[in-house]
Amino acid sequence: MQSTKDVLSRVALRLKDARKAKNLSLDAVAKLSGVSRSMVSQIERGESSPTVSTLWNLTQALKIDFAELVEDPVQSRGIEVMPAASTPTIGSLGEGCRIRILNPPSQTGQYEVYELAFQPQGALDSAPHGPKAREQLTVITGTLQVTSGSYTALLQAGDTARYDANCPHAIRAPDGRAMAFLIVENS
């Protein structure tokens, strides 16, 4: 098992490498992410234990996958295994909605795969993604209401909806708990 210090060192190095690969200054990353320049610098030096929300803002600004920062995949005969406890989870987006990031970091921007778990009345409201962005939502359990622009659909377990994500869109659990898989393309 890795220590917190090892994880923080990996996060620091990967953030700094991503920033430099994109030729961005600390100031530029601060403006893009909403995280102060001094905090970005402290994180890159491994002197701060950032919150998940702060890391999420930085990964979105740098257009890298959240999982890329923290994952330490276990290799077994050519199979990459991401233990459930190591799968990055976002609890700060939406209300009553937990999001687990399932896709490999190298695919971020092309496609992203998420497991969504909704509490009763939970919601995930999203601003428009890129101009060609589409989402595919498959309901595993429960009922979900999907809105894309002015269109709305009600999905039951087993149903799949494909819709534009280049406009405001939302997923809601109107009747109770629900689970789904979401694929975002061209985000």
Side-chain angles (χ1 to χ4, degrees), residues 145-163:
Q145 177 184 323
V146 179
T147 302
S148 173
S150 61
Y151 301 98
T152 299
L154 192 63
L155 307 174
Q156 304 296 325
D159 293 346
T160 296
R162 296 177 184 90
Y163 50 92

Side-chain angles (χ1 to χ4, degrees), residues 84-155:
S86 299
T87 303
T89 302
I90 305 166
S92 61
L93 292 179
E95 186 163 321
C97 179
R98 185 197 76 216
I99 303 168
R100 287 185 354 125
I101 304 167
L102 304 177
N103 62 286
S106 61
Q107 298 300 315
T108 300
Q110 296 171 11
Y111 77 90
E112 297 163 16
V113 181
Y114 301 98
E115 174 191 76
L116 307 177
F118 290 90
Q119 297 295 321
Q121 304 299 313
L124 179 60
D125 293 308
S126 299
H129 302 314
K132 295 182 180 180
R134 300 236 343 130
E135 291 186 354
Q136 177 174 303
L137 178 75
T138 300
V139 179
I140 306 303
T141 62
T143 302
L144 290 174
Q145 177 184 323
V146 179
T147 302
S148 173
S150 61
Y151 301 98
T152 299
L154 192 63
L155 307 174

